[in-house]
Amino acid sequence: IQDITNRANVARPTFYLHFSDKKDLLLSSLREIYDSLAEGYAPKTREHVLTYSQSPEAIDMTDFKHVADHAEFYRTMLSDKGALPFILMVLDYLRGMMENESFPCMSPADTLPRIPRGAIAAYLAGAQIGLAHWWLYDNEQHYSPQEISQIIFFQNVFGLNWSLHLDIPAPDFQI
Protein backbone atom coordinates (compact mmCIF):
# COMPACT_ATOMS: atom_id res chain seq x y z
CA ILE A 1 0.00 0.00 0.00
CA GLN A 2 2.85 2.34 0.85
CA ASP A 3 4.35 1.95 -2.65
CA ILE A 4 0.95 2.73 -4.19
CA THR A 5 0.37 5.81 -2.06
CA ASN A 6 3.90 7.04 -2.73
CA ARG A 7 3.46 6.70 -6.50
CA ALA A 8 0.03 8.37 -6.33
CA ASN A 9 1.40 11.09 -4.06
CA VAL A 10 -1.39 10.60 -1.51
CA ALA A 11 -1.32 9.81 2.19
CA ARG A 12 -2.00 6.25 3.30
CA PRO A 13 -5.17 7.28 5.21
CA THR A 14 -6.50 8.84 1.97
CA PHE A 15 -6.08 5.48 0.24
CA TYR A 16 -8.15 3.79 2.95
CA LEU A 17 -10.90 6.39 2.60
CA HIS A 18 -11.51 5.04 -0.91
CA PHE A 19 -10.34 1.41 -0.86
CA SER A 20 -10.20 -1.33 1.73
CA ASP A 21 -7.09 -2.99 0.27
CA LYS A 22 -5.09 -3.53 -2.96
CA LYS A 23 -7.65 -5.99 -4.27
CA ASP A 24 -10.40 -3.41 -3.85
CA LEU A 25 -8.28 -0.86 -5.76
CA LEU A 26 -7.64 -3.37 -8.58
CA LEU A 27 -11.30 -4.37 -8.94
CA SER A 28 -12.48 -0.76 -8.80
CA SER A 29 -9.97 0.24 -11.47
CA LEU A 30 -10.96 -2.67 -13.69
CA ARG A 31 -14.67 -1.83 -13.38
CA GLU A 32 -13.85 1.69 -14.61
CA ILE A 33 -11.88 0.28 -17.56
CA TYR A 34 -14.64 -2.18 -18.47
CA ASP A 35 -17.32 0.50 -18.15
CA SER A 36 -15.28 2.66 -20.52
CA LEU A 37 -14.96 -0.20 -23.02
CA ALA A 38 -18.70 -0.94 -22.74
CA GLU A 39 -19.60 2.66 -23.57
CA GLY A 40 -18.18 2.10 -27.06
CA TYR A 41 -20.21 -1.03 -27.79
CA ALA A 42 -22.84 -0.83 -30.47
CA PRO A 43 -26.24 -1.98 -29.21
CA LYS A 44 -26.70 -5.70 -29.84
CA THR A 45 -30.09 -6.13 -31.49
CA ARG A 46 -31.61 -9.09 -33.31
CA GLU A 47 -30.77 -7.35 -36.57
CA HIS A 48 -27.16 -6.87 -35.42
CA VAL A 49 -26.73 -10.58 -34.69
CA LEU A 50 -28.41 -11.61 -37.94
CA THR A 51 -26.31 -9.17 -39.98
CA TYR A 52 -22.98 -9.87 -38.30
CA SER A 53 -23.48 -13.63 -38.48
CA GLN A 54 -23.22 -13.22 -42.25
CA SER A 55 -20.39 -10.60 -42.16
CA PRO A 56 -17.48 -11.98 -40.10
CA GLU A 57 -15.22 -9.05 -40.95
CA ALA A 58 -17.64 -6.67 -39.19
CA ILE A 59 -17.61 -8.49 -35.82
CA ASP A 60 -16.66 -6.24 -32.90
CA MET A 61 -13.24 -7.15 -31.56
CA THR A 62 -13.10 -4.59 -28.72
CA ASP A 63 -12.84 -7.18 -25.93
CA PHE A 64 -10.10 -9.27 -27.49
CA LYS A 65 -8.20 -6.22 -28.74
CA HIS A 66 -8.18 -5.03 -25.11
CA VAL A 67 -6.92 -8.43 -23.95
CA ALA A 68 -4.19 -8.38 -26.63
CA ASP A 69 -3.15 -4.85 -25.66
CA HIS A 70 -2.84 -5.94 -22.02
CA ALA A 71 -1.74 -9.55 -22.61
CA GLU A 72 0.87 -9.62 -19.86
CA PHE A 73 -1.68 -8.50 -17.26
CA TYR A 74 -4.28 -11.05 -18.41
CA ARG A 75 -1.72 -13.85 -18.60
CA THR A 76 -0.87 -13.15 -14.97
CA MET A 77 -4.46 -12.78 -13.78
CA LEU A 78 -5.64 -15.92 -15.63
CA SER A 79 -2.72 -18.02 -14.41
CA ASP A 80 -2.42 -20.18 -11.31
CA LYS A 81 -0.82 -17.14 -9.66
CA GLY A 82 -3.76 -14.92 -10.60
CA ALA A 83 -6.56 -13.71 -8.39
CA LEU A 84 -9.87 -15.54 -8.06
CA PRO A 85 -11.65 -12.27 -7.13
CA PHE A 86 -10.51 -10.86 -10.51
CA ILE A 87 -11.95 -13.82 -12.44
CA LEU A 88 -15.20 -13.68 -10.46
CA MET A 89 -15.50 -9.93 -11.01
CA VAL A 90 -14.99 -10.32 -14.77
CA LEU A 91 -17.48 -13.21 -14.91
CA ASP A 92 -20.05 -11.15 -13.01
CA TYR A 93 -19.42 -8.06 -15.13
CA LEU A 94 -19.76 -9.93 -18.44
CA ARG A 95 -22.81 -11.84 -17.23
CA GLY A 96 -24.51 -8.64 -16.12
CA MET A 97 -23.75 -6.87 -19.41
CA MET A 98 -25.16 -9.73 -21.45
CA GLU A 99 -28.19 -10.45 -19.31
CA ASN A 100 -29.24 -6.87 -18.68
CA GLU A 101 -28.16 -5.04 -21.83
CA SER A 102 -27.60 -7.41 -24.75
CA PHE A 103 -30.17 -10.16 -24.37
CA PRO A 104 -33.27 -8.00 -23.86
CA CYS A 105 -32.50 -6.28 -27.20
CA MET A 106 -32.11 -9.61 -28.99
CA SER A 107 -35.15 -11.52 -27.76
CA PRO A 108 -38.57 -10.91 -29.24
CA ALA A 109 -40.59 -8.96 -26.67
CA ASP A 110 -43.39 -11.52 -26.63
CA THR A 111 -41.17 -14.62 -26.36
CA LEU A 112 -39.27 -16.04 -23.40
CA PRO A 113 -35.88 -17.61 -24.12
CA ARG A 114 -35.77 -21.42 -24.06
CA ILE A 115 -33.15 -21.28 -21.30
CA PRO A 116 -33.10 -18.59 -18.54
CA ARG A 117 -31.18 -15.48 -19.61
CA GLY A 118 -29.03 -15.64 -16.47
CA ALA A 119 -27.94 -19.19 -17.32
CA ILE A 120 -27.12 -18.22 -20.91
CA ALA A 121 -25.19 -15.16 -19.74
CA ALA A 122 -23.21 -17.15 -17.12
CA TYR A 123 -22.34 -19.78 -19.75
CA LEU A 124 -21.19 -17.21 -22.30
CA ALA A 125 -19.20 -15.19 -19.72
CA GLY A 126 -17.36 -18.35 -18.70
CA ALA A 127 -16.76 -19.19 -22.34
CA GLN A 128 -15.27 -15.75 -22.99
CA ILE A 129 -12.84 -16.06 -20.09
CA GLY A 130 -12.01 -19.63 -21.06
CA LEU A 131 -11.35 -18.61 -24.66
CA ALA A 132 -9.18 -15.68 -23.52
CA HIS A 133 -7.13 -18.07 -21.37
CA TRP A 134 -6.73 -20.53 -24.26
CA TRP A 135 -5.81 -17.69 -26.61
CA LEU A 136 -3.15 -16.29 -24.26
CA TYR A 137 -1.60 -19.67 -23.34
CA ASP A 138 -2.33 -22.38 -25.90
CA ASN A 139 -2.81 -20.45 -29.11
CA GLU A 140 -0.33 -22.18 -31.41
CA GLN A 141 -2.06 -20.68 -34.45
CA HIS A 142 -1.47 -17.12 -33.18
CA TYR A 143 -4.98 -15.96 -33.93
CA SER A 144 -5.46 -12.21 -34.17
CA PRO A 145 -7.98 -10.33 -32.01
CA GLN A 146 -10.27 -10.20 -35.08
CA GLU A 147 -10.07 -13.96 -35.62
CA ILE A 148 -10.61 -14.81 -31.95
CA SER A 149 -13.59 -12.43 -31.88
CA GLN A 150 -15.04 -14.24 -34.89
CA ILE A 151 -14.51 -17.61 -33.18
CA ILE A 152 -16.43 -16.61 -30.06
CA PHE A 153 -19.13 -14.80 -32.01
CA PHE A 154 -19.85 -17.81 -34.23
CA GLN A 155 -19.65 -20.23 -31.30
CA ASN A 156 -22.05 -18.05 -29.30
CA VAL A 157 -24.50 -17.59 -32.16
CA PHE A 158 -24.41 -21.03 -33.80
CA GLY A 159 -23.21 -23.25 -30.94
CA LEU A 160 -21.51 -26.58 -30.58
CA ASN A 161 -23.83 -28.30 -33.03
CA TRP A 162 -22.69 -26.00 -35.84
CA SER A 163 -19.02 -25.88 -34.76
CA LEU A 164 -18.56 -29.66 -34.77
CA HIS A 165 -20.84 -30.39 -37.77
CA LEU A 166 -23.12 -32.48 -35.54
CA ASP A 167 -26.28 -31.54 -37.45
CA ILE A 168 -28.51 -32.45 -34.54
CA PRO A 169 -31.97 -30.91 -34.85
CA ALA A 170 -32.83 -28.63 -31.95
CA PRO A 171 -35.52 -30.00 -29.62
CA ASP A 172 -38.73 -28.14 -28.97
CA PHE A 173 -37.85 -27.56 -25.34
CA GLN A 174 -38.08 -24.73 -22.85
CA ILE A 175 -37.25 -24.51 -19.15
Side-chain angles (χ1 to χ4, degrees):
I1 300 294
Q2 192 61 52
D3 290 341
I4 294 169
T5 57
N6 288 346
R7 287 189 70 189
N9 198 24
V10 297
R12 197 175 174 108
T14 303
F15 175 90
Y16 286 111
L17 282 174
H18 300 280
F19 307 103
S20 58
D21 55 21
K22 291 189 297 186
K23 178 183 76 176
D24 188 28
L25 169 64
L26 171 66
L27 297 181
S28 175
S29 299
L30 287 170
R31 273 188 218 95
E32 287 179 22
I33 291 168
Y34 295 156
D35 285 345
S36 176
L37 286 170
E39 287 174 10
Y41 292 158
K44 304 289 192 278
T45 62
R46 283 180 78 76
E47 293 74 26
H48 168 90
V49 172
L50 296 171
T51 300
Y52 282 64
S53 66
Q54 303 305 314
S55 306
E57 66 281 350
I59 293 170
D60 185 347
M61 64 177 194
T62 303
D63 290 348
F64 287 101
K65 174 80 170 81
H66 171 78
V67 171
D69 290 345
H70 304 282
E72 185 177 340
F73 170 78
Y74 284 100
R75 274 192 194 95
T76 300
M77 297 307 283
L78 295 174
S79 75
D80 58 353
K81 294 179 178 35
L84 180 59
F86 163 78
I87 294 172
L88 295 174
M89 188 275 298
V90 175
L91 281 170
D92 190 52
Y93 189 91
L94 292 171
R95 183 201 49 74
M97 287 291 294
M98 289 180 221
E99 185 176 3
N100 299 320
E101 296 183 29
S102 296
F103 294 168
C105 299
M106 286 189 240
S107 298
D110 59 345
T111 306
L112 288 173
R114 291 186 174 101
I115 297 172
R117 283 189 181 111
I120 299 167
Y123 175 83
L124 295 176
Q128 189 159 348
I129 290 177
L131 185 60
H133 181 272
W134 172 83
W135 185 44
L136 292 168
Y137 283 99
D138 302 321
N139 178 12
E140 295 173 8
Q141 302 296 323
H142 306 290
Y143 293 105
S144 69
Q146 179 69 32
E147 292 167 323
I148 211 74
S149 299
Q150 291 170 346
I151 287 169
I152 198 156
F153 180 84
F154 287 124
Q155 182 63 40
N156 289 349
V157 172
F158 300 112
L160 190 62
N161 191 3
W162 174 84
S163 298
L164 297 176
H165 302 276
L166 295 175
D167 300 323
I168 301 168
D172 187 20
F173 176 80
Q174 186 164 332
I175 292 180

